[in-house]
Amino acid sequence: MKHPRLNIVAGPTPLVHAPRLSDALGIDLFIKRDDVAGPTFGGNKSRQLEYYFGDALDKGADTILITGAVQSNFVRLAAAVASSQNMHAIIQLENRVPGKPDHYHKSGNVLLSHLLGPEILTYPEGEDETGADAALHERAEALRAEGRVPYVIHLSEGHPPLGALGYVDAAQEILQQGQDFDTYVVASGSGSTHAGLLAGLRGSGSGAQVIGSCVRRDATAQEARIARVTARLKKLYAGAARVSEPDIRIWDGALAPGYGQIGEPARSAIHMVATHEGLILDPVYTAKSFAAIPALVASGEIAKGSRVCFVHTGGLAALFAYEEAF
């Protein structure tokens, strides 16, 4: 089944060997550089937005509405793509990380989003996906009354996971780059990247294990969420039907102290990748996902000498809002 798609990611992103990390960890490690995918510091959401904007433009939309946390990469990229398409963007920032200093609400992704010129709304609750979507639909109704054509990119479950198709593409892209791996490690939050990658690999015949590292929910809750996203993805991509329950692998050893907050495993991951390969991870997603690799090598769940792909999903801009953590 074909789905409308706007080309945002210019060509395959690099798949690079990480020799110093490989030596340090005793594995053969490659990094899929989706941190360079798309505009304004890039990131994995660029792949997801290809299908949301494709659908929006196919429906004649002139306005995009989207919700994310204060330091959301998703809303920053949505605003950037909207600008490039001569569309209006309305981004709604939810207070998902309490107790942050004033500069957290002004720097990083927030600063970039302001520069891109969207209308910015706020939503007070950080764990109310349905309510946040309802607030956007209320704004969308007002726009329709003005003769506009709005398109809501939903935060809550129950909607077609079009964004996951972007990581079906990414899985096929990695395989087309001539590589398959014993293990893939990726951040697991909304579930679209994790479920899409897993479905794309299974649909392409790869049996590699895919480990999702939790950034927002514990392993039990996240496993159930990935199962639900995958079930909905089957209606968009037939290969998702090849995903079985044991394929959904979750690790939450770096989740604490919670979403958008950095603990010691994530802090150590940032320093390890920076000092070994000169690459920067962000504290919200990629530090917590990379932290799974040394932990699971130590436990034996990732075998010494095995081939491992770390999917670097980006988010660098958020780092500048966390200077007090370092």
Side-chain angles (χ1 to χ4, degrees), residues 232-306:
R232 295 197 304 277
L233 182 56
K234 292 175 186 178
K235 298 178 181 179
L236 304 175
Y237 171 63
R242 299 184 187 178
V243 176
S244 64
E245 184 177 344
D247 288 329
I248 301 175
R249 306 287 298 278
I250 304 290
W251 182 81
D252 62 2
L255 175 61
Y259 176 85
Q261 302 176 65
I262 187 166
E264 189 52 40
R267 185 178 286 105
S268 295
I270 288 174
H271 287 294
M272 184 178 198
V273 176
T275 57
H276 284 75
E277 300 293 345
L279 295 177
I280 303 299
L281 305 178
D282 86 289
V284 183
Y285 287 88
T286 50
K288 293 187 177 186
S289 54
F290 187 87
I293 297 176
L296 294 175
V297 169
S299 72
E301 190 168 345
I302 293 178
K304 288 282 189 178
S306 63

